[in-house]
Amino acid sequence: MFAKNLNNLAAKLFLGSLITSSINACNKDNIVVLPDSSFSATYSQKDIINDQIVVKFKTSMSKSSAVDFAQQFNSRAIKVSTRMNSAVLQVEPGTDITKAIQSLNNNPSVDFAEPHYKYSFSYTVSDPRSREQNGLAIANVHKAWDITFGDPKVIIAVIDSGADLNHPDLKNKLVPGYNVLTEGQTPPMDDNGHGTHVSGIAAASTNNKIGIAGTAPNCRIMPVKVINGQGKGEGKENGSFNVALGVLWAVDHGAKVINMSLGGPDGKTLNRAVDYALKKNVVVVAAMGNDGLDKGRNFGYFKSYPAALPGVISVGSIDFDRKRSEFSNWGDWISVVAPGNEIL
């Protein structure tokens, strides 16, 4: 039992070496207050995708019915998920989003409506060298390796920008993944580099004289692409709806651990997906955030989601001296810290 628990632990702790949940700074002059008393929230215009609203329906809704529903509100259903019984509505430019959300929440067919929140990560790196992997030494990963290198039955879903499916350190470690952006029409190929980096830290092939050593090299990786190559929440694809769809797909296809080196505002859409994963006994790990130098975000004392959700293992970052990385978020919702400075 101890070895089994350690397999999961090794798969989880790698996340701390890549704290990547960047969020745009809050502009106090441009704040919108959501009027729904059952789910009040304060958010910045910079945190939401312009002219989009996520709607969760009370009863099962087909794609054609969702399209018809959107038309009643002078909008278009640009993405529909019968799995989540939800849709992303594209409203006309200039629409008052707050009033539109209030109107939708008053509709008897709607469970809830909320802004389409942006989700993003922060940086990418090039191929590293294993001898420079100081993070493994700081985390004493070699002690875990004395007991186990992980278990192939432990599938780690990396909810990110996809993965380089041909990477020599990864190609033999991958299980079938999914490209949420294209609804599975194309493979989850990484066009940013971030997802490949995270996947390598988690479970890159080890003792093969190539690249780096993965933290849990016997575990397998499920690449789930939910963010495009921009990776900063800039594209209309980089929202909470796609992240939630990725979480659900991963759980339904056998993931035992879910990693999200990304973050954004609190919202019901992603919360429900994370809750589903936790109820299925899937371990969910997320980055605390990268707001430590942001005055508008209280120098890191700021909640990024899904890391701040109950039940999620939230990982902060420490430097080579085992002190909090200056960029890392912090707060009493943190679960664990791990090396995060100049991680290869």
Side-chain angles (χ1 to χ4, degrees), residues 143-220:
K143 292 184 178 181
W145 287 345
D146 286 340
I147 301 171
T148 180
F149 282 95
D151 189 327
K153 295 179 181 178
V154 177
I155 297 175
I156 306 169
V158 178
I159 311 294
D160 212 287
S161 60
D164 181 349
L165 306 180
N166 301 311
H167 195 290
D169 248 355
L170 291 177
K171 63 182 181 180
N172 295 325
K173 308 304 300 296
L174 302 176
V175 301
Y178 185 66
N179 188 336
V180 176
L181 304 185
T182 64
E183 299 183 9
Q185 297 302 305
T186 58
M189 181 62 78
D190 190 358
D191 54 355
N192 177 280
H194 189 273
T196 299
H197 183 213
V198 175
S199 298
I201 294 169
S205 296
T206 303
N207 289 328
N208 63 348
K209 299 181 180 180
I210 299 175
I212 65 171
T215 306
N218 283 356
C219 294
R220 293 184 292 168

Side-chain angles (χ1 to χ4, degrees), residues 123-143:
Y123 61 89
T124 60
V125 299
S126 59
D127 290 339
R129 283 77 55 191
S130 60
R131 66 179 181 273
E132 298 177 18
Q133 287 184 268
N134 298 318
L136 296 180
I138 295 173
N140 290 318
V141 172
H142 65 282
K143 292 184 178 181

Side-chain angles (χ1 to χ4, degrees), residues 26-53:
C26 179
N27 181 351
K28 295 182 179 179
D29 296 326
N30 194 17
I31 296 293
V32 180
V33 178
L34 191 66
D36 178 16
S37 59
S38 66
F39 185 62
S40 60
T42 300
Y43 58 90
S44 166
Q45 287 291 133
K46 292 182 179 180
D47 291 331
I48 66 173
I49 298 176
N50 290 335
D51 306 322
Q52 290 187 11
I53 300 172

Side-chain angles (χ1 to χ4, degrees), residues 288-301:
M288 277 287 287
N290 281 5
D291 302 304
L293 298 175
D294 191 337
K295 181 178 180 181
R297 293 289 163 97
N298 296 321
F299 296 106
Y301 187 68

Side-chain angles (χ1 to χ4, degrees), residues 112-123:
F112 67 83
E114 65 180 3
H116 195 190
Y117 294 113
K118 292 180 180 179
Y119 275 70
S120 54
F121 45 72
S122 60
Y123 61 89

Side-chain angles (χ1 to χ4, degrees), residues 277-319:
L278 295 173
K279 287 180 178 178
K280 292 291 185 178
N281 295 318
V282 174
V283 175
V284 181
V285 190
M288 277 287 287
N290 281 5
D291 302 304
L293 298 175
D294 191 337
K295 181 178 180 181
R297 293 289 163 97
N298 296 321
F299 296 106
Y301 187 68
F302 183 86
K303 288 187 176 182
S304 173
Y305 292 84
L309 292 176
V312 173
I313 296 176
S314 53
V315 187
S317 174
I318 57 173
D319 60 21

